Amino acid sequence: MIMEVTPTKTLIVPQLIVGLGNPENKYEQTRHNIGFEAIDALAKAWRIPVSENRKFKGKFGEGVTTSGEKIRLLKPLTYMNLSGQAIRAVVDWYKLPPTSVLVIYDDMDLPLGRLRLRLSGSAGGHNGMKSTISHLGTQNFPRLRIGIGKPKSMTGNGETVSYVLGKFSSPEMQIMEQVLKWTGEAIDLSLHQGVEKAMSLYNNRSLVDNPE
């Protein structure tokens, strides 16, 4: 009797977590820099020092999570539209497959109070992701989008830029604090049980009653 063997599904587990944003003080705590905020929160939770690394063109740190997983954190300092340069430098140095790179960034098409994990996908008009896809040579890497919402009436590109480079209001900041907690929990889970498990538990959570 011939036994049929079911192939084991490979878990997608991050080895490098990247938060997208822009350097310079004027961009701190803006909507477009929520990826940086996420990395700062992870670094604090895991007590991993993150400091400037010229070889990697960004702020970089590596260490061990509270659960014992080895992880690397990166905040590219190349400005948003060149983020892929820094990511590629780390990937090449450590010989990492693109599927082990989890990128965190802001998304206007996702309502405030939501996050969305995916295993692959297009840039969706995000310049940081366009650069990342270009430098990795593939769209097949996990990403975590953090919803920043958008104004009810968007009249043009100038207003879009003004919005993403603006800062969260005080009520919005309270929502984002919880979203960043979810982000940390989702990433922690993805390190244990893979990104798909985290997707199933966190993609439908919402802090705001806001239809997509």
Side-chain angles (χ1 to χ4, degrees), residues 77-98:
L77 297 179
T78 52
Y79 288 92
M80 187 67 83
N81 60 354
L82 298 175
S83 299
Q85 293 182 358
I87 297 170
R88 185 62 194 248
V90 179
V91 165
D92 285 351
W93 180 261
Y94 289 102
K95 296 180 173 56
L96 301 174

Side-chain angles (χ1 to χ4, degrees), residues 13 25 60 68 81 90 101 103 107 129 149-150 153 180 185-186 206:
V13 177
N25 293 338
F60 177 81
N81 60 354
V90 179
V101 181
V103 182
D107 189 352
M129 286 300 286
K150 55 186 166 186
S153 58
L180 287 175
E185 292 170 6
S206 178

Side-chain angles (χ1 to χ4, degrees), residues 197-212:
K197 180 66 174 179
M199 286 167 54
S200 69
L201 293 181
Y202 287 89
N203 278 0
N204 292 320
R205 293 192 181 189
S206 178
L207 286 165
V208 179
D209 185 16
N210 190 353
E212 292 194 47

Side-chain angles (χ1 to χ4, degrees), residues 96-132:
L96 301 174
T99 51
S100 72
V101 181
L102 173 65
V103 182
I104 307 172
Y105 63 103
D106 60 294
D107 189 352
M108 288 180 65
D109 293 324
L110 199 59
L112 194 76
R114 297 285 301 273
L115 59 81
R116 184 67 55 79
L117 275 157
R118 285 284 182 267
L119 294 176
S120 63
S122 68
H126 194 284
N127 288 333
M129 286 300 286
K130 286 179 184 175
S131 176
T132 303

Side-chain angles (χ1 to χ4, degrees), residues 62-184:
E62 62 180 323
V64 177
T65 71
T66 47
S67 303
E69 291 84 12
K70 186 173 182 179
I71 198 68
R72 302 173 183 92
L73 303 174
L74 175 68
K75 294 163 62 176
L77 297 179
T78 52
Y79 288 92
M80 187 67 83
N81 60 354
L82 298 175
S83 299
Q85 293 182 358
I87 297 170
R88 185 62 194 248
V90 179
V91 165
D92 285 351
W93 180 261
Y94 289 102
K95 296 180 173 56
L96 301 174
T99 51
S100 72
V101 181
L102 173 65
V103 182
I104 307 172
Y105 63 103
D106 60 294
D107 189 352
M108 288 180 65
D109 293 324
L110 199 59
L112 194 76
R114 297 285 301 273
L115 59 81
R116 184 67 55 79
L117 275 157
R118 285 284 182 267
L119 294 176
S120 63
S122 68
H126 194 284
N127 288 333
M129 286 300 286
K130 286 179 184 175
S131 176
T132 303
I133 290 169
S134 173
H135 281 83
L136 289 180
T138 180
Q139 295 185 358
N140 295 323
F141 57 89
R143 70 282 312 273
L144 189 157
R145 295 181 288 136
I146 296 179
I148 61 170
K150 55 186 166 186
K152 291 180 180 177
S153 58
M154 296 290 286
T155 56
N157 190 54
E159 190 177 350
T160 299
V161 172
S162 176
Y163 180 76
V164 298
L165 295 183
K167 299 196 175 186
F168 293 106
S169 66
S170 184
E172 288 174 337
M173 279 297 295
Q174 292 180 7
I175 292 171
M176 295 313 296
E177 283 177 11
Q178 180 58 49
V179 171
L180 287 175
K181 285 182 181 177
W182 283 352
T183 298

